[in-house]
Amino acid sequence: MYQQIYDPIGGSLLLSSALAALPLLVMFLLLGWLRVAPHIAALISLAVCMLVAVLAYGMPLAATLNLGLYGAAFGVLTVLWIIVNAIWLYNMTVKSGHFAVLRDSFARISPDPRIQAIIIAFSFGALIEALAGSGTPIAISGAMLLGIGVRPMKAVVLALVANTAPVAFGALAVPIVTLAKVSGEPFGLLGAIVGRQTPLLAAFVPLILMFIFDGKRGLRQVWPAAVVAGVAFAVSQWIAANYISVELADVFGALGSAGGLLLFLKVWTPEPCGDIEDVEPAPANVERHGGGALWLAYAPYVLIIVVFSLAQVAGIKQWLGFGTFRFAWPGLEIANAAGAPVATQFVLNALSATGTLLLFAGVLSALLLRVRPGVAVEIYGATLKQLRWAIPTVLCVLALAFVMNYSGQTITLGRWMAQTGSAFAFLSPVIGWLGVAVTGSDNSSNALFGALQVAAAQETGMRPALLAAANASGGVLGKMISPQSLAVGAAAVGVIGQEGIIFRKTIGWSLLLLLALSVLVYLQAGPLAWMLP
């Protein structure tokens, strides 16, 4: 059995943290500045991570390699299975011609592509995050932005930044459920506090999107619509999280944002924008389609919402659960520093997995769109070919995350930051950000650091629920720079191999929003404590 140690370098958390951070620094350096191909960067970073685990943390080589295999297997079901089926569904709508109808319908709402981008990336993306999560909204909204004429690089950056708003409550608030379990704090209280943090950031996200889309001109001409969409989302998410349902906070936010914007567009029209860099000009005459054609164009996305909603119904959820198998990963025995066993359980949820539900929605969509079985299979094969370089990237990134987590490297980083006393309120969101940057999942970050946040709060005399919630809120800002998210976005828009460029375009926004959140949490621990329930 391997027992974790969190200060292997001379008993110093500072020196140990410097070494534990090395795999992430290598990853970001290779991707962001040296422009190394992402699958190569991920493989090199994984090798560095394994060397740190073996040479510094004393993990046996066999266990380290087994952990990498465990992480890769986890990635197949939780990431790749989702990406492949999400992109397959989108490719079918393009191949069958129905996405062109959908694009025309967006143009009927507003001919301005900037308004369309808010609806697709922010409002619709939040709705998909609410029901599916796991990178699905990045893949689908990124691909949809391509369909309205946005060039690939700009489309993926918009999709990643827009996904900031809903992640903490994604997949029907599963990250908050996990946080409540590991922290011991009440689920409703955690949801309410997160609902008084992330909406304040979400209100500004559409303004950021407009700056990314069209620079200062976009802000000057479209800020009223961006403010309406952002504030409507923030108010709806806040009301739902505090007074209606934590699980449905993103659903309310997405619908409130879309509804508020559509109503506003009835009384306000943006100035003509002319040509926009990296955006193809919209056609002069937009075809008006009948109700039947519009229904078919929207049907795949309606089916996604229906399938994921039905999957949460008690009886159906129980039936889907029969396809779930749990077993301890063979050959792995790990204990934490206190000697308690660390769970290494592998969950194979064949029927209820997000990717499986997307596959089912895709099959139903093929039937509705009258895509012949042979053509659907052919499109699936083309999708796999399209993702051929994203697949090894995701596998290496997940392997790296598992080795970092189970060897103790990630906890070393968190514990070192937890030594900062009262300043920990400022750094608390940074730990959540770091967790998602490593694992690609707010749920995983909460599982990893939720208890640590509570322990640090008790040592410093701060409110445990505040710091636990800050972990979830900070995590949403790490999503846009997570190597997993970068791989998903690049694959969705067809720029595989350019993840480093995407990283450089998103890291600034991630750090800026993280700074704003850290200041907010620090103030909520002191003079703004009245904001909390």
Side-chain angles (χ1 to χ4, degrees):
M1 176 179 287
Y2 167 72
Q3 185 167 2
Q4 295 173 341
I5 181 171
Y6 308 133
D7 53 357
I9 309 301
S12 168
L13 272 176
L14 175 60
L15 295 177
S16 301
S17 295
L19 193 61
L22 192 58
L24 290 180
L25 293 176
V26 169
M27 170 82 75
F28 294 146
L29 177 66
L30 293 175
L31 279 178
W33 283 272
L34 299 182
R35 305 188 182 189
V36 175
H39 57 285
I40 301 297
L43 182 60
I44 293 173
S45 303
L46 173 60
V48 171
C49 181
M50 287 184 167
L51 286 173
V52 172
V54 173
L55 299 179
Y57 283 77
M59 175 173 273
L61 178 61
T64 305
L65 294 173
N66 197 8
L67 266 177
L69 184 61
Y70 179 26
F74 179 85
V76 170
L77 188 65
T78 59
V79 180
L80 291 178
W81 188 226
I82 295 168
I83 298 172
V84 170
N85 290 316
I87 302 302
W88 170 62
L89 188 151
Y90 167 76
N91 285 343
M92 277 198 299
T93 66
V94 173
K95 185 76 172 179
S96 63
H98 290 88
F99 189 81
V101 178
L102 188 68
R103 180 185 58 212
D104 290 343
S105 74
F106 287 134
R108 300 294 301 182
I109 295 173
S110 172
D112 193 312
R114 299 168 297 187
I115 300 294
Q116 296 174 33
I118 293 177
I119 296 171
I120 293 171
F122 186 70
S123 303
F124 183 73
L127 185 60
I128 298 298
E129 177 68 40
L131 299 170
S134 302
T136 307
I138 298 171
I140 290 180
S141 60
M144 291 177 72
L145 287 169
L146 289 182
I148 64 169
V150 183
R151 300 275 166 75
M153 189 57 64
K154 180 171 284 188
V156 68
V157 173
L158 289 168
L160 285 165
V161 174
N163 194 229
T164 296
V167 167
F169 295 101
L172 297 175
V174 166
I176 309 294
V177 172
T178 299
L179 184 62
K181 288 181 180 178
V182 301
S183 68
E185 295 295 312
F187 169 76
L189 176 61
L190 291 171
I193 295 177
V194 174
R196 299 178 191 214
Q197 293 172 344
T198 58
L200 295 174
L201 299 178
F204 292 93
V205 169
L207 289 169
I208 295 174
L209 296 179
M210 290 304 92
F211 183 80
I212 294 171
F213 200 101
D214 193 26
K216 294 180 180 179
R217 181 180 64 173
L219 281 178
R220 186 179 68 253
Q221 294 183 347
V222 191
W223 70 264
V227 168
V228 168
V231 171
F233 181 96
V235 171
S236 301
Q237 189 184 59
W238 170 71
I239 291 173
N242 283 273
Y243 303 110
I244 301 175
S245 168
V246 175
E247 292 90 341
L248 297 178
D250 277 347
V251 174
F252 276 80
L255 296 179
S257 173
L261 183 56
L262 291 176
L263 289 174
F264 183 66
L265 290 174
K266 292 184 178 297
V267 297
W268 176 86
T269 302
E271 297 177 36
C273 59
D275 292 336
I276 301 176
E277 185 179 0
D278 293 326
V279 179
E280 296 176 8
N285 297 313
V286 178
E287 184 178 351
R288 182 184 292 273
H289 301 277
L294 286 173
W295 155 244
L296 286 175
Y298 280 93
Y301 306 102
V302 173
L303 283 171
I304 290 174
I305 295 169
V306 171
V307 167
F308 278 92
S309 299
L310 289 176
Q312 302 305 317
V313 175
I316 297 176
K317 191 172 184 178
Q318 182 179 8
W319 180 80
L320 293 173
F322 290 126
T324 299
F325 305 94
R326 294 178 172 85
F327 56 89
W329 188 260
L332 272 185
E333 292 186 41
I334 299 175
N336 62 22
V342 175
T344 55
Q345 189 180 62
F346 188 81
V347 180
L348 180 63
N349 48 344
L351 296 179
S352 60
T354 299
T356 303
L357 296 177
L358 280 171
L359 176 64
F360 183 56
V363 171
L364 293 178
S365 298
L367 294 174
L368 275 176
L369 302 180
R370 298 182 180 179
V371 177
R372 295 193 306 274
V375 174
V377 172
E378 181 183 333
I379 296 172
Y380 203 97
T383 301
L384 289 173
K385 184 178 180 181
Q386 175 186 347
L387 299 173
R388 63 189 179 278
W389 293 117
I391 291 172
T393 302
V394 169
L395 294 180
C396 287
V397 166
L398 265 294
L400 181 149
F402 270 57
V403 174
M404 278 196 72
N405 294 345
Y406 283 94
S407 67
Q409 294 174 58
T410 310
I411 296 177
T412 295
L413 293 168
R415 289 202 167 191
W416 170 64
M417 285 188 275
Q419 290 186 318
T420 54
S422 60
F424 185 67
F426 182 85
L427 292 176
S428 179
V430 179
I431 292 180
W433 176 86
L434 175 68
V436 176
V438 174
T439 66
S441 163
D442 202 32
N443 186 52
S444 298
S445 177
N446 289 342
L448 198 60
F449 291 129
L452 173 68
Q453 297 273 12
V454 169
Q458 292 169 345
E459 290 177 11
T460 56
M462 285 181 278
R463 190 174 177 184
L466 169 62
L467 299 192
N471 193 85
S473 298
V476 308
L477 305 175
K479 187 80 171 179
M480 69 177 81
I481 62 163
S482 164
Q484 293 178 50
S485 298
L486 297 176
V488 170
V493 302
V495 290
I496 296 170
Q498 299 185 46
E499 286 85 345
I501 300 174
I502 302 170
F503 173 78
R504 291 195 296 275
K505 289 179 177 291
T506 55
I507 181 65
W509 297 113
S510 178
L511 293 175
L512 177 64
L513 290 169
L514 178 62
L515 175 62
L517 178 63
S518 293
V519 171
L520 173 64
V521 173
Y522 182 78
L523 294 175
Q524 286 180 331
L528 295 185
W530 56 266
M531 290 181 63
L532 305 178

